């Protein structure tokens, strides 16, 4: 009369909601898009880090002295 309690009869399984083809396609495309976005962001971070390391290894350019400015011509009004 009393059945043995097992995992199958103790917990009632909730039936999963069947997905339509459109929902299935949408969720799949979102997963693919998210994976591509994650891959692109990881690549951007990796390239940015490599660029910063490369810039850090390069010696700083020595600033050169600028040429002295030539004496400018005076305006004609000031010469009158």
């Amino acid at each position: 009369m009393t059945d043995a309690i097992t995992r199958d009869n103790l917990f009632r399984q909730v039936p999963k909601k069947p997905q339509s083809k459109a929902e299935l396609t949408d969720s799949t495309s979102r997963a693919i898009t998210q994976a591509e976005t994650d891959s692109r962001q990881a690549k951007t971070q990796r390239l940015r880090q490599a660029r910063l390391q490369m810039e850090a290894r390069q010696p700083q350019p020595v600033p050169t002295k600028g040429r002295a400015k030539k004496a400018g011509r005076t305006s004609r009004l000031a010469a009158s």
Side-chain angles (χ1 to χ4, degrees):
M1 314 266 187
T2 59
D3 294 333
I5 297 176
T6 64
R7 180 181 65 149
D8 296 327
N9 64 9
L10 181 62
F11 299 108
R12 174 179 261 167
Q13 292 185 358
V14 179
K16 291 185 178 181
K17 175 183 149 191
Q19 289 185 329
S20 68
K21 292 257 187 192
E23 291 172 336
L24 183 62
T25 303
D26 183 56
S27 63
T28 303
S29 67
R30 288 181 189 270
I32 291 170
T33 304
Q34 185 64 38
E36 289 173 349
T37 302
D38 293 343
S39 173
R40 184 177 63 247
Q41 288 176 346
K43 182 179 179 181
T44 301
Q45 284 295 96
R46 190 174 62 244
L47 291 173
R48 179 178 290 132
Q49 189 66 26
R51 179 179 48 84
L52 292 174
Q53 288 177 356
M54 183 183 69
E55 288 175 355
R57 285 187 295 221
Q58 292 178 347
Q60 295 294 327
V62 178
T64 59
K65 290 185 178 180
R67 290 198 271 167
K69 292 186 177 183
K70 293 183 180 180
R73 293 176 28 187
T74 57
S75 65
R76 293 184 188 189
L77 295 176
S80 305

